[in-house]
Amino acid sequence: MKNRSFVEIIAAILGVSSRGARRTQIQYGANLNHDQTKQYINRLLSSEMMLERKPLFFTTVKGNDFLLSFEQFSTVQQKYLKLKGVVEPSL
């Protein structure tokens, strides 16, 4: 299994928090440890991609826009890699 990129982790967090999630739900849903979760959440809060309404965190419109763009890019990337014969079949 390859390491996830920063952008992939951000997308995972935003996906988990799209309907509101507690910090631990984000931690488990994005498969992060406590310190990583704190760092990523702080960065997302400061960039206004996420907001906090204690005890929940929510993805903002800006975060949803990012998530949509990420999903579109991932789709195009997967199609390209399939054409090149780089992607192995999903399990």
Side-chain angles (χ1 to χ4, degrees):
M1 184 172 157
K2 77 173 190 85
N3 290 336
R4 295 177 294 168
S5 70
F6 173 80
V7 175
E8 290 169 320
I9 294 170
I10 293 296
I13 293 170
L14 293 174
V16 170
S17 62
S18 63
R19 294 186 179 182
R22 294 177 183 266
R23 188 180 301 265
T24 52
Q25 291 171 314
I26 294 169
Q27 179 177 334
Y28 293 128
N31 196 27
L32 300 169
N33 67 38
H34 178 73
D35 292 334
Q36 290 171 322
T37 304
K38 280 177 59 175
Q39 290 173 353
Y40 279 100
I41 286 175
N42 288 336
R43 181 168 268 189
L44 287 167
L45 290 170
S46 66
S47 66
E48 300 178 351
M49 294 175 77
M50 178 183 274
L51 62 87
E52 180 179 14
R53 290 198 181 134
K54 292 191 180 199
L56 300 176
F57 293 90
F58 294 89
T59 303
T60 63
V61 171
K62 185 176 178 181
N64 281 325
D65 290 344
F66 170 86
L67 198 51
L68 180 61
S69 296
F70 174 78
E71 289 169 355
Q72 290 171 342
F73 173 79
S74 294
T75 301
V76 170
Q77 181 185 35
Q78 288 298 314
K79 288 178 182 178
Y80 173 78
L81 293 175
K82 273 188 180 178
L83 287 173
K84 290 297 208 178
V86 176
V87 175
E88 296 178 19
S90 299
L91 296 177

PDB file of all heavy atoms in Angstrom, residues 2 8 72-84 86-88 90:
ATOM      1  N   LYS A   2       0.590   2.168  -0.910  1.00  0.00           N
ATOM      2  CA  LYS A   2       1.416   3.363  -0.994  1.00  0.00           C
ATOM      3  C   LYS A   2       0.974   4.407   0.018  1.00  0.00           C
ATOM      4  O   LYS A   2      -0.178   4.402   0.469  1.00  0.00           O
ATOM      5  CB  LYS A   2       1.374   3.942  -2.406  1.00  0.00           C
ATOM      6  CG  LYS A   2       0.124   4.708  -2.746  1.00  0.00           C
ATOM      7  CD  LYS A   2       0.265   5.384  -4.100  1.00  0.00           C
ATOM      8  CE  LYS A   2      -0.864   6.345  -4.337  1.00  0.00           C
ATOM      9  NZ  LYS A   2      -0.683   7.645  -3.807  1.00  0.00           N
ATOM     10  N   GLU A   8      -4.695  13.831  -0.706  1.00  0.00           N
ATOM     11  CA  GLU A   8      -5.578  12.689  -0.475  1.00  0.00           C
ATOM     12  C   GLU A   8      -6.087  12.663   0.966  1.00  0.00           C
ATOM     13  O   GLU A   8      -7.256  12.346   1.215  1.00  0.00           O
ATOM     14  CB  GLU A   8      -4.859  11.378  -0.798  1.00  0.00           C
ATOM     15  CG  GLU A   8      -4.601  11.181  -2.277  1.00  0.00           C
ATOM     16  CD  GLU A   8      -3.675  10.021  -2.571  1.00  0.00           C
ATOM     17  OE1 GLU A   8      -2.684   9.832  -1.841  1.00  0.00           O
ATOM     18  OE2 GLU A   8      -3.957   9.300  -3.549  1.00  0.00           O
ATOM     19  N   GLN A  72     -12.928  14.977  -9.345  1.00  0.00           N
ATOM     20  CA  GLN A  72     -12.858  15.074 -10.804  1.00  0.00           C
ATOM     21  C   GLN A  72     -11.436  14.777 -11.287  1.00  0.00           C
ATOM     22  O   GLN A  72     -11.246  14.045 -12.252  1.00  0.00           O
ATOM     23  CB  GLN A  72     -13.301  16.457 -11.264  1.00  0.00           C
ATOM     24  CG  GLN A  72     -14.771  16.708 -11.082  1.00  0.00           C
ATOM     25  CD  GLN A  72     -15.172  18.145 -11.344  1.00  0.00           C
ATOM     26  OE1 GLN A  72     -14.339  19.052 -11.339  1.00  0.00           O
ATOM     27  NE2 GLN A  72     -16.454  18.367 -11.568  1.00  0.00           N
ATOM     28  N   PHE A  73     -10.456  15.345 -10.608  1.00  0.00           N
ATOM     29  CA  PHE A  73      -9.066  15.094 -10.978  1.00  0.00           C
ATOM     30  C   PHE A  73      -8.721  13.617 -10.827  1.00  0.00           C
ATOM     31  O   PHE A  73      -8.077  13.025 -11.706  1.00  0.00           O
ATOM     32  CB  PHE A  73      -8.115  15.939 -10.128  1.00  0.00           C
ATOM     33  CG  PHE A  73      -6.676  15.590 -10.357  1.00  0.00           C
ATOM     34  CD1 PHE A  73      -6.008  16.058 -11.473  1.00  0.00           C
ATOM     35  CD2 PHE A  73      -6.000  14.771  -9.461  1.00  0.00           C
ATOM     36  CE1 PHE A  73      -4.675  15.713 -11.700  1.00  0.00           C
ATOM     37  CE2 PHE A  73      -4.674  14.433  -9.678  1.00  0.00           C
ATOM     38  CZ  PHE A  73      -4.016  14.898 -10.800  1.00  0.00           C
ATOM     39  N   SER A  74      -9.158  13.010  -9.732  1.00  0.00           N
ATOM     40  CA  SER A  74      -8.862  11.594  -9.494  1.00  0.00           C
ATOM     41  C   SER A  74      -9.458  10.710 -10.581  1.00  0.00           C
ATOM     42  O   SER A  74      -8.831   9.749 -11.016  1.00  0.00           O
ATOM     43  CB  SER A  74      -9.399  11.162  -8.129  1.00  0.00           C
ATOM     44  OG  SER A  74      -8.704  11.819  -7.104  1.00  0.00           O
ATOM     45  N   THR A  75     -10.661  11.047 -11.033  1.00  0.00           N
ATOM     46  CA  THR A  75     -11.306  10.293 -12.096  1.00  0.00           C
ATOM     47  C   THR A  75     -10.502  10.387 -13.390  1.00  0.00           C
ATOM     48  O   THR A  75     -10.235   9.371 -14.050  1.00  0.00           O
ATOM     49  CB  THR A  75     -12.742  10.805 -12.326  1.00  0.00           C
ATOM     50  OG1 THR A  75     -13.471  10.666 -11.106  1.00  0.00           O
ATOM     51  CG2 THR A  75     -13.435  10.039 -13.435  1.00  0.00           C
ATOM     52  N   VAL A  76     -10.106  11.579 -13.743  1.00  0.00           N
ATOM     53  CA  VAL A  76      -9.312  11.779 -14.965  1.00  0.00           C
ATOM     54  C   VAL A  76      -7.966  11.065 -14.842  1.00  0.00           C
ATOM     55  O   VAL A  76      -7.510  10.403 -15.779  1.00  0.00           O
ATOM     56  CB  VAL A  76      -9.117  13.289 -15.246  1.00  0.00           C
ATOM     57  CG1 VAL A  76      -8.109  13.510 -16.364  1.00  0.00           C
ATOM     58  CG2 VAL A  76     -10.444  13.945 -15.580  1.00  0.00           C
ATOM     59  N   GLN A  77      -7.347  11.173 -13.670  1.00  0.00           N
ATOM     60  CA  GLN A  77      -6.059  10.531 -13.451  1.00  0.00           C
ATOM     61  C   GLN A  77      -6.172   9.013 -13.596  1.00  0.00           C
ATOM     62  O   GLN A  77      -5.329   8.378 -14.235  1.00  0.00           O
ATOM     63  CB  GLN A  77      -5.524  10.882 -12.066  1.00  0.00           C
ATOM     64  CG  GLN A  77      -4.174  10.279 -11.775  1.00  0.00           C
ATOM     65  CD  GLN A  77      -3.717  10.544 -10.353  1.00  0.00           C
ATOM     66  OE1 GLN A  77      -4.531  10.583  -9.428  1.00  0.00           O
ATOM     67  NE2 GLN A  77      -2.430  10.743 -10.186  1.00  0.00           N
ATOM     68  N   GLN A  78      -7.218   8.416 -13.027  1.00  0.00           N
ATOM     69  CA  GLN A  78      -7.408   6.971 -13.127  1.00  0.00           C
ATOM     70  C   GLN A  78      -7.602   6.538 -14.577  1.00  0.00           C
ATOM     71  O   GLN A  78      -7.055   5.530 -15.011  1.00  0.00           O
ATOM     72  CB  GLN A  78      -8.600   6.523 -12.279  1.00  0.00           C
ATOM     73  CG  GLN A  78      -8.338   6.567 -10.794  1.00  0.00           C
ATOM     74  CD  GLN A  78      -7.207   5.643 -10.387  1.00  0.00           C
ATOM     75  OE1 GLN A  78      -7.139   4.493 -10.813  1.00  0.00           O
ATOM     76  NE2 GLN A  78      -6.310   6.141  -9.568  1.00  0.00           N
ATOM     77  N   LYS A  79      -8.382   7.302 -15.336  1.00  0.00           N
ATOM     78  CA  LYS A  79      -8.588   6.983 -16.753  1.00  0.00           C
ATOM     79  C   LYS A  79      -7.276   7.046 -17.524  1.00  0.00           C
ATOM     80  O   LYS A  79      -6.982   6.187 -18.351  1.00  0.00           O
ATOM     81  CB  LYS A  79      -9.611   7.935 -17.373  1.00  0.00           C
ATOM     82  CG  LYS A  79     -11.016   7.672 -16.913  1.00  0.00           C
ATOM     83  CD  LYS A  79     -11.984   8.662 -17.518  1.00  0.00           C
ATOM     84  CE  LYS A  79     -13.394   8.428 -17.010  1.00  0.00           C
ATOM     85  NZ  LYS A  79     -14.343   9.405 -17.550  1.00  0.00           N
ATOM     86  N   TYR A  80      -6.486   8.065 -17.249  1.00  0.00           N
ATOM     87  CA  TYR A  80      -5.193   8.217 -17.913  1.00  0.00           C
ATOM     88  C   TYR A  80      -4.274   7.047 -17.581  1.00  0.00           C
ATOM     89  O   TYR A  80      -3.646   6.458 -18.476  1.00  0.00           O
ATOM     90  CB  TYR A  80      -4.550   9.542 -17.510  1.00  0.00           C
ATOM     91  CG  TYR A  80      -3.139   9.694 -18.017  1.00  0.00           C
ATOM     92  CD1 TYR A  80      -2.889  10.029 -19.341  1.00  0.00           C
ATOM     93  CD2 TYR A  80      -2.048   9.470 -17.177  1.00  0.00           C
ATOM     94  CE1 TYR A  80      -1.596  10.146 -19.823  1.00  0.00           C
ATOM     95  CE2 TYR A  80      -0.762   9.589 -17.643  1.00  0.00           C
ATOM     96  CZ  TYR A  80      -0.527   9.927 -18.965  1.00  0.00           C
ATOM     97  OH  TYR A  80       0.746  10.039 -19.435  1.00  0.00           O
ATOM     98  N   LEU A  81      -4.201   6.710 -16.311  1.00  0.00           N
ATOM     99  CA  LEU A  81      -3.311   5.618 -15.907  1.00  0.00           C
ATOM    100  C   LEU A  81      -3.769   4.281 -16.472  1.00  0.00           C
ATOM    101  O   LEU A  81      -2.940   3.437 -16.811  1.00  0.00           O
ATOM    102  CB  LEU A  81      -3.210   5.567 -14.378  1.00  0.00           C
ATOM    103  CG  LEU A  81      -2.504   6.764 -13.738  1.00  0.00           C
ATOM    104  CD1 LEU A  81      -2.570   6.670 -12.220  1.00  0.00           C
ATOM    105  CD2 LEU A  81      -1.059   6.881 -14.209  1.00  0.00           C
ATOM    106  N   LYS A  82      -5.071   4.079 -16.589  1.00  0.00           N
ATOM    107  CA  LYS A  82      -5.573   2.846 -17.204  1.00  0.00           C
ATOM    108  C   LYS A  82      -5.150   2.774 -18.668  1.00  0.00           C
ATOM    109  O   LYS A  82      -4.764   1.729 -19.163  1.00  0.00           O
ATOM    110  CB  LYS A  82      -7.091   2.773 -17.097  1.00  0.00           C
ATOM    111  CG  LYS A  82      -7.575   2.160 -15.843  1.00  0.00           C
ATOM    112  CD  LYS A  82      -9.077   1.953 -15.887  1.00  0.00           C
ATOM    113  CE  LYS A  82      -9.534   1.321 -14.594  1.00  0.00           C
ATOM    114  NZ  LYS A  82     -10.994   1.150 -14.569  1.00  0.00           N
ATOM    115  N   LEU A  83      -5.254   3.909 -19.361  1.00  0.00           N
ATOM    116  CA  LEU A  83      -4.836   3.941 -20.763  1.00  0.00           C
ATOM    117  C   LEU A  83      -3.362   3.616 -20.919  1.00  0.00           C
ATOM    118  O   LEU A  83      -2.940   2.993 -21.869  1.00  0.00           O
ATOM    119  CB  LEU A  83      -5.135   5.304 -21.380  1.00  0.00           C
ATOM    120  CG  LEU A  83      -6.597   5.609 -21.674  1.00  0.00           C
ATOM    121  CD1 LEU A  83      -6.747   7.047 -22.121  1.00  0.00           C
ATOM    122  CD2 LEU A  83      -7.131   4.662 -22.736  1.00  0.00           C
ATOM    123  N   LYS A  84      -2.588   4.083 -19.964  1.00  0.00           N
ATOM    124  CA  LYS A  84      -1.142   3.826 -19.999  1.00  0.00           C
ATOM    125  C   LYS A  84      -0.787   2.435 -19.490  1.00  0.00           C
ATOM    126  O   LYS A  84       0.348   2.029 -19.551  1.00  0.00           O
ATOM    127  CB  LYS A  84      -0.401   4.870 -19.159  1.00  0.00           C
ATOM    128  CG  LYS A  84      -0.410   6.264 -19.757  1.00  0.00           C
ATOM    129  CD  LYS A  84       0.316   6.227 -21.052  1.00  0.00           C
ATOM    130  CE  LYS A  84       0.939   7.548 -21.357  1.00  0.00           C
ATOM    131  NZ  LYS A  84       1.695   7.526 -22.584  1.00  0.00           N
ATOM    132  N   VAL A  86      -0.898   1.461 -16.321  1.00  0.00           N
ATOM    133  CA  VAL A  86      -0.156   1.566 -15.065  1.00  0.00           C
ATOM    134  C   VAL A  86      -0.971   1.060 -13.894  1.00  0.00           C
ATOM    135  O   VAL A  86      -0.424   0.499 -12.953  1.00  0.00           O
ATOM    136  CB  VAL A  86       0.242   3.047 -14.795  1.00  0.00           C
ATOM    137  CG1 VAL A  86       0.930   3.222 -13.471  1.00  0.00           C
ATOM    138  CG2 VAL A  86       1.115   3.547 -15.934  1.00  0.00           C
ATOM    139  N   VAL A  87      -2.292   1.200 -13.937  1.00  0.00           N
ATOM    140  CA  VAL A  87      -3.137   0.846 -12.798  1.00  0.00           C
ATOM    141  C   VAL A  87      -3.433  -0.628 -12.796  1.00  0.00           C
ATOM    142  O   VAL A  87      -3.821  -1.203 -13.810  1.00  0.00           O
ATOM    143  CB  VAL A  87      -4.468   1.649 -12.858  1.00  0.00           C
ATOM    144  CG1 VAL A  87      -5.401   1.205 -11.745  1.00  0.00           C
ATOM    145  CG2 VAL A  87      -4.190   3.118 -12.779  1.00  0.00           C
ATOM    146  N   GLU A  88      -3.268  -1.234 -11.624  1.00  0.00           N
ATOM    147  CA  GLU A  88      -3.640  -2.630 -11.449  1.00  0.00           C
ATOM    148  C   GLU A  88      -5.127  -2.679 -11.148  1.00  0.00           C
ATOM    149  O   GLU A  88      -5.683  -1.739 -10.600  1.00  0.00           O
ATOM    150  CB  GLU A  88      -2.842  -3.241 -10.290  1.00  0.00           C
ATOM    151  CG  GLU A  88      -1.355  -3.287 -10.568  1.00  0.00           C
ATOM    152  CD  GLU A  88      -0.583  -3.859  -9.396  1.00  0.00           C
ATOM    153  OE1 GLU A  88      -1.205  -4.533  -8.543  1.00  0.00           O
ATOM    154  OE2 GLU A  88       0.624  -3.633  -9.342  1.00  0.00           O
ATOM    155  N   SER A  90      -8.614  -3.088  -9.337  1.00  0.00           N
ATOM    156  CA  SER A  90      -8.997  -2.918  -7.921  1.00  0.00           C
ATOM    157  C   SER A  90      -9.324  -4.262  -7.315  1.00  0.00           C
ATOM    158  O   SER A  90      -9.795  -5.172  -7.982  1.00  0.00           O
ATOM    159  CB  SER A  90     -10.189  -1.999  -7.814  1.00  0.00           C
ATOM    160  OG  SER A  90      -9.879  -0.729  -8.330  1.00  0.00           O
TER     161      SER A  90
END
